[in-house]
Amino acid sequence: MVIRVGGEGGEGVISTGDMLAQASARAGLEVLTFRTFPAEIKGGYAMYQLRVSTEKILSQGDTFHVCVVFNGEAYEMNKDLLAPGTVLVYDSPGGDFQPEATEGVIQYPVPMTKISKVDLGSPISKNMVALGAVMQLFSFPVDSLKDLIKAKFKKKGESVVEMNLRALEAGAEYVRSHLKKVDRFYVQPAQPREDRIMLSGNEAIGLGALVAGCRFFSCYPITPATDIANWLSRHLPKVNGVVVQAEDEIASLGQVIGATFAGVKAMTGTSGPGLDLMVELLGFASMAELPLVIADVQRGGPSTGLPTKSEQSDLFLAAKGGHGDFPRIVLAAATIEDCFYLTIEAFNLAERYQIPVILLSDGALASRTEKIKRPDLSKIRIINREAYSGGGEYQRYAVTETGVSPVSIPGQDGGRYIATGLEHSETAAPKYSPDYHEKMTEKRFRKIAALEDESPETECEGDKDGDLGIISWGLTQCAVREAMKECADRGLRVRALYPKLVFPVPVKAIQRFASTVKKVLIPELNYQGQFAELVAVHAGVNAIRFNLYGGLPFTPAQIREKITEVIK
Amino acid sequence: MEISQPLKPKDYKSDVPPIWCAGCGDYGVLASLTMAFSQNNVKPSDTVLVSGIGCSSRLPYFVTTFGMHTCHGRALPIATGIKLAKPDLRVVVVGGDGDHFSIGGGHLPHAARKNIDLLLIVMDNSIYGLTKGQVSPTSRPGMATTTTPYGSPDVPVNPVAYALVYGASFVAQSFSSNTKLTTDLIGKALNHKGFAFINVISPCPTFNKVDTFEYYKPLLKNIDEIHPDKGDKVKALSLAITMGRNNGEVPIGLFYQEERPTYVEMIQEIKIRNKGTDHPELGRIMDILRP
């Protein structure tokens, strides 16, 4: 079941959705949320969508089954999506609008404003009244919700807890005594499991960093990446780590560079505009061969663009941004699990190859919360940079077969060197001769020349000899996975490749994949077809492009329809 | 950080010879720095010299400490990262007026107000030397340079006043050929807890024919004679603002010093308050995320 709550920003839409999601997760259900915020703090349309199921959920779904609207604006935003069989819960009598009678749409008027304002004398409890009504209508777990309310408002005092519980009960009671349920949607009971955690994409990046051994994080606030910093600010001090809010993104990456030079694993989190500013230092980090991680939570660009929305349009910048020739690695997360495990992978790759690694996420994934299997920390492998062990004259940039040279850290006797952005010799002395610039450029690129072979195999599913092969990256993989299931049910011969490493382009996997299918389709959330272009240039595979660039993620239905159209 | 066998100044000099022009003011700063290191028993392997881009930013190559020669203007944030990640390291930033008052001018206020425990030495020559003679943020009004052939229309930055207003807890000015004073100030700064700033007027004999040794020599004034109370910020600021380019006196010496908690100390306190440990039970942190 997919339930959507819409209303004015600041009206409790997000907290209502959060409570439903948390309570469902506590009661043992799988949950996946999707939300859009206005870019303003108060006012503007805000939406929270919750998908809840007894089974693992792959994406946010195609549309909603139940829509709870707090005001006329939310109704206007959603009325075209109200299909026959869907349910509308709205504020009436006493609300600011009357819905049109739409054929087949089930309507439940609940006087949220009136009950909270007149009956309870507490206008701010409107969302709790709505929550109670929704709980009663669709059998959301009552006990979990009450426990959550008690926990959430405990700090504000007993009377606040009491008022919220009364509002919840008043909403439920109104449904019991005034409405007759005629829809077929309800939340099925499930068994709570101990081995589950629930977190957002940004929190998962924070947790991943913590587990990977990151002990220094520097940031500059930017939507939609700020939650990474917020989460780490609370938890890094517990592991003797440091979080600093720098004066700008240039300084954030600068601090990260200083920390990693000093031997401490370090990271910054940002979005496109911040990554723009970091590019000069990114080149420095690659030139000086310093391991570090940048999480880029993409939003709509260019310029300020769509700060609270989703786009996959920083790929060119991440993969190619910067002057001169320098290597870097770009990974892309598709799920909450990815946000966690790929952050660890990003640190491992950074340390192993002494190189900057960019992890791409996006606005939708950043704020999506999902219940996932609790990671088994004993199974996680952590890689540390190859350390200089002393002895002989130290050559920081010794030319080796792999390109990787052992690194010293300040404080280490005999390990002295100057980390430099100038072209340099093996001992890090400035050196500009043609042979050195060639030799050292080759050394730096050699580190990741065999990256694809040294990485886990790219995941693939579906029919061998498919009529169509889909290559997707980042969040788009979620919609593709769900669409793939439906295609299999309908007997369509489709194959899908799910790269996590997006740059360097996993050329071998893509070429192998392309040779098994008749056509290749690359759906992505950008105008230029950025990954499709990289795939064409690097792997020589020309794909059919499917681009959306409105700021919203793909739905499985959009992918399904495109598959049908292309196969025909 | 202390070592038993004191090193001599020459022991701090690497085998890379400076690339500076004959008569460059930066030589005096290099000599003072190695002298101060020697006098204060600085251990080279526990010390990092960080620089940006410019003639003066080549200095780390010439010294036997660890070093970073980074991007134009970015030495301060990078040095901040080193210090906060590994507080036991001694961090010294060197660079020019272009690095710290122009392209990297946005970083100085924050390193200063956060009281990051490091020393910043600016070799101020009032010209862009590495690019052969363009106007700098400290060039005097009307100065003719390659990019201001008809005279600079800019009002120059006042480095000492800036550092004071930004909240630096140690602010001094010196002159490059006065290696005794510079060495003494660097020594004091090395032992200062918090952000220390020394502006060393370092003439560029090649591209700046106005702000020369000869020009400055008669104007330099020992600040201690007129400003004995180093905690008097108002007096320090007043001296900084009135210090004259119009043939007025240029005070050199310590302008201001205060003791207040450093950023590192405040971070340590946060770690202690959160029972920070190097051997955390990450599973317990993960438990917070149970629904």
Side-chain angles (χ1 to χ4, degrees):
Chain A
M1 181 175 81
V2 179
I3 180 165
R4 174 178 288 195
V5 186
E8 195 178 334
E11 210 178 11
V13 170
I14 302 297
S15 65
T16 304
D18 255 339
M19 302 272 262
L20 286 174
Q22 283 281 345
S24 306
R26 272 194 184 189
L29 291 149
E30 300 294 331
V31 297
L32 187 151
T33 74
F34 170 62
R35 52 185 102 173
T36 61
F37 307 90
E40 299 75 24
I41 293 301
K42 185 125 174 50
Y45 170 68
M47 182 278 278
Y48 191 106
Q49 187 169 302
L50 164 69
R51 192 173 185 186
V52 49
S53 169
T54 50
E55 278 159 36
K56 179 75 184 166
I57 302 164
L58 295 176
S59 80
Q60 82 277 13
D62 292 330
T63 181
F64 54 78
H65 305 109
V66 175
C67 188
V68 184
V69 296
F70 283 20
N71 62 9
E73 187 191 7
Y75 172 71
E76 288 300 322
M77 295 293 287
N78 289 293
K79 72 174 182 190
D80 293 341
L81 299 170
L82 289 165
T86 56
V87 177
L88 175 71
V89 181
Y90 63 104
D91 184 14
S92 178
D96 65 348
F97 75 104
Q98 268 305 316
E100 301 153 21
T102 315
E103 178 78 37
V105 175
I106 299 153
Q107 297 188 346
Y108 297 127
V110 177
M112 310 164 187
T113 305
K114 185 185 157 286
I115 293 176
S116 58
K117 216 168 165 176
V118 180
D119 301 357
L120 301 169
S122 170
I124 58 162
S125 300
K126 179 177 167 183
N127 65 329
M128 283 297 150
V129 175
L131 190 62
V134 168
M135 172 185 83
Q136 183 66 31
L137 277 166
F138 307 106
S139 313
F140 277 93
V142 182
D143 294 340
S144 302
L145 268 171
K146 286 186 174 166
D147 287 349
L148 269 175
I149 289 172
K150 286 175 196 158
K152 185 175 164 140
F153 296 106
K154 204 169 103 187
K155 274 192 189 147
K156 293 187 176 170
E158 197 55 42
S159 63
V160 177
V161 173
E162 206 49 48
M163 175 52 75
N164 279 286
L165 287 173
R166 272 178 60 205
L168 186 82
E169 179 50 32
E173 176 51 33
Y174 183 86
V175 169
R176 283 195 292 269
S177 54
H178 292 79
L179 299 175
K180 184 170 182 300
K181 183 173 168 78
V182 290
D183 68 274
R184 59 190 172 84
F185 301 112
Y186 63 95
V187 173
Q188 293 176 337
Q191 281 304 311
R193 295 182 57 172
E194 281 295 290
D195 62 344
R196 291 289 188 275
I197 57 172
M198 189 166 146
L199 67 176
S200 70
N202 278 347
E203 287 171 338
I205 289 173
L207 182 65
L210 200 75
V211 171
C214 172
R215 295 296 177 264
F216 187 90
F217 186 88
S218 180
C219 63
Y220 186 77
I222 186 167
T223 304
T226 312
D227 285 340
I228 304 173
N230 294 346
W231 195 87
L232 282 171
S233 299
R234 285 201 301 277
H235 301 297
L236 261 191
K238 297 175 189 169
V239 296
N240 279 342
V242 176
V243 176
V244 190
Q245 180 173 322
E247 55 271 25
D248 56 37
E249 284 92 345
I250 300 175
S252 310
L253 187 58
Q255 292 178 358
V256 164
I257 283 170
T260 186
F261 171 78
V264 173
K265 289 188 190 179
M267 178 182 184
T268 180
T270 189
S271 187
L275 187 60
D276 284 341
L277 293 183
M278 292 177 185
V279 169
E280 188 191 15
L281 282 176
L282 181 68
F284 172 78
S286 189
M287 181 66 146
E289 304 195 35
L290 296 168
L292 59 86
V293 176
I294 302 171
D296 172 15
V297 186
Q298 300 167 97
R299 61 196 230 181
S303 190
T304 311
L306 306 169
T308 60
K309 298 291 170 67
S310 227
E311 219 167 66
Q312 298 180 287
S313 53
D314 290 357
L315 182 59
F316 281 164
L317 171 64
K320 301 280 185 180
H323 69 278
D325 295 311
F326 66 89
R328 85 290 297 274
I329 296 171
V330 185
L331 307 175
T335 62
I336 304 294
E337 281 96 340
D338 277 355
C339 286
F340 175 76
Y341 289 105
L342 285 187
T343 301
I344 298 169
E345 177 69 4
F347 273 100
N348 284 347
L349 291 171
E351 291 283 321
R352 181 170 176 182
Y353 300 110
Q354 298 176 23
I355 199 171
V357 178
I358 298 169
L359 173 68
L360 295 176
S361 174
D362 67 84
L365 196 51
S367 60
R368 169 203 280 195
T369 46
E370 191 181 339
K371 205 163 83 164
I372 66 164
K373 192 165 184 305
R374 183 188 167 101
D376 181 353
L377 297 179
S378 69
K379 292 213 170 72
I380 289 170
R381 198 169 60 115
I382 302 295
I383 296 174
N384 295 312
R385 64 193 81 172
E386 185 183 348
Y388 166 62
S389 53
E393 191 208 7
Y394 179 48
Q395 296 197 329
R396 168 63 186 100
Y397 300 109
V399 176
T400 61
E401 207 175 307
T402 60
V404 177
S405 337
V407 59
S408 65
I409 56 167
Q412 192 174 356
D413 285 323
R416 181 260 183 192
Y417 77 103
I418 309 292
T420 175
L422 280 174
E423 190 55 282
H424 43 264
S425 69
E426 289 86 344
T427 56
K431 196 113 180 175
Y432 313 135
S433 63
D435 57 326
Y436 259 95
H437 188 40
E438 286 177 358
K439 184 162 92 172
M440 285 301 181
T441 302
E442 287 161 12
K443 168 207 183 315
R444 290 187 288 269
F445 274 99
R446 193 156 64 240
K447 293 189 289 188
I448 56 163
L451 181 62
E452 189 184 352
D453 300 331
E454 292 160 3
S455 302
E457 200 164 331
T458 305
E459 193 195 337
C460 190
E461 70 164 330
D463 280 294
K464 283 204 165 91
D465 307 317
D467 292 324
L468 177 67
I470 306 175
I471 305 174
S472 57
W473 66 283
L475 184 71
T476 302
Q477 290 179 357
C478 295
V480 172
R481 277 181 203 275
E482 193 161 329
M484 284 293 291
K485 269 193 160 178
E486 292 155 4
C487 286
D489 292 345
R490 287 162 47 184
L492 293 170
R493 292 161 58 81
V494 188
R495 222 168 173 221
L497 186 73
Y498 303 112
K500 304 290 179 199
L501 169 69
V502 290
F503 196 84
V505 174
V507 168
K508 288 178 187 170
I510 286 171
Q511 287 174 342
R512 227 170 15 241
F513 176 80
S515 71
T516 64
V517 293
K518 293 201 180 88
K519 296 173 188 168
V520 176
L521 174 73
I522 299 185
E524 52 188 321
L525 293 176
N526 57 54
Y527 181 83
Q528 298 179 92
Q530 298 191 3
F531 192 55
E533 187 168 319
L534 292 181
V535 166
V537 169
H538 292 264
V541 172
N542 278 302
I544 301 163
R545 300 178 183 196
F546 180 25
N547 303 92
L548 294 189
Y549 31 87
L552 292 174
F554 280 97
T555 63
Q558 286 168 326
I559 302 286
R560 210 171 50 228
E561 281 157 24
K562 190 70 182 179
I563 291 171
T564 318
E565 177 198 317
V566 173
I567 283 186
K568 208 162 42 181
Chain B
M1 232 177 279
E2 305 302 310
I3 44 173
S4 48
Q5 274 289 323
L7 298 171
K8 296 189 176 72
K10 69 172 172 48
D11 298 327
Y12 290 92
K13 293 209 173 123
S14 77
D15 50 14
V16 178
I19 41 99
W20 298 318
C21 304
C24 174
D26 295 350
Y27 284 106
V29 177
L30 176 62
S32 306
L33 184 67
T34 52
M35 176 66 83
F37 278 174
S38 169
Q39 287 176 1
N40 290 277
N41 287 345
V42 169
K43 190 179 170 193
S45 61
D46 286 345
T47 304
V48 189
L49 274 171
V50 187
S51 68
I53 297 297
C55 294
S56 55
S57 281
R58 286 301 186 99
L59 191 143
Y61 292 107
F62 317 139
V63 182
T64 57
T65 63
F66 275 83
M68 292 188 90
H69 179 220
T70 70
C71 294
H72 201 13
R74 311 306 162 205
L76 272 180
I78 289 172
T80 299
I82 297 170
K83 189 67 194 180
L84 300 188
K86 282 280 174 73
D88 289 346
L89 295 172
R90 190 191 288 280
V91 183
V92 179
V93 178
V94 291
D97 42 310
D99 238 356
H100 292 283
F101 310 131
S102 189
I103 189 167
H107 302 307
L108 180 56
H110 305 282
R113 76 187 172 93
K114 285 184 156 115
N115 207 22
I116 307 291
D117 200 354
L118 52 83
L119 162 61
L120 166 63
I121 301 170
V122 172
M123 285 159 260
D124 179 3
N125 61 8
S126 300
I127 197 79
Y128 280 75
L130 198 62
T131 47
K132 303 186 196 282
Q134 292 75 40
V135 68
S136 106
T138 57
S139 297
R140 64 177 69 186
M143 185 163 157
T145 72
T146 62
T147 50
T148 56
Y150 310 113
S152 167
D154 296 349
V155 170
V157 156
N158 184 323
V160 173
Y162 271 34
L164 284 166
V165 172
Y166 290 155
S169 53
F170 180 105
V171 181
Q173 176 158 262
S174 192
F175 190 73
S176 89
S177 62
N178 190 341
T179 51
K180 191 180 172 299
L181 175 66
T182 311
T183 302
D184 179 49
L185 288 171
I186 292 173
K188 279 198 176 80
L190 288 174
N191 294 303
H192 172 75
K193 200 164 64 75
F195 184 81
F197 169 74
I198 307 175
N199 193 59
V200 187
I201 298 164
S202 310
C204 170
T206 311
F207 296 107
N208 187 339
K209 306 295 186 192
V210 196
D211 300 291
T212 59
F213 287 94
E214 294 68 33
Y215 167 79
Y216 270 107
K217 280 271 170 67
L219 301 177
L220 300 172
K221 172 98 182 163
N222 181 350
I223 197 172
D224 294 345
E225 293 163 16
I226 47 174
H227 176 51
D229 178 6
K230 305 305 182 187
D232 186 346
K233 196 164 178 173
V234 174
K235 178 78 186 291
L237 191 57
S238 155
L239 283 168
I241 290 169
T242 53
M243 116 170 94
R245 287 269 160 106
N246 300 321
N247 293 339
E249 287 180 336
V250 175
I252 50 174
L254 182 59
F255 276 69
Y256 180 69
Q257 185 170 19
E258 70 171 314
E259 194 174 312
R260 68 170 203 267
T262 68
Y263 202 78
V264 165
E265 287 171 338
M266 286 183 279
I267 281 174
Q268 286 308 120
E269 199 194 302
I270 291 169
K271 287 180 185 170
I272 291 164
R273 221 188 304 151
N274 283 279
K275 303 189 175 63
T277 166
D278 291 334
H279 307 285
E281 288 178 52
L282 296 174
R284 287 180 64 176
I285 293 178
M286 218 150 52
D287 284 342
I288 299 164
L289 296 162
R290 283 209 173 124

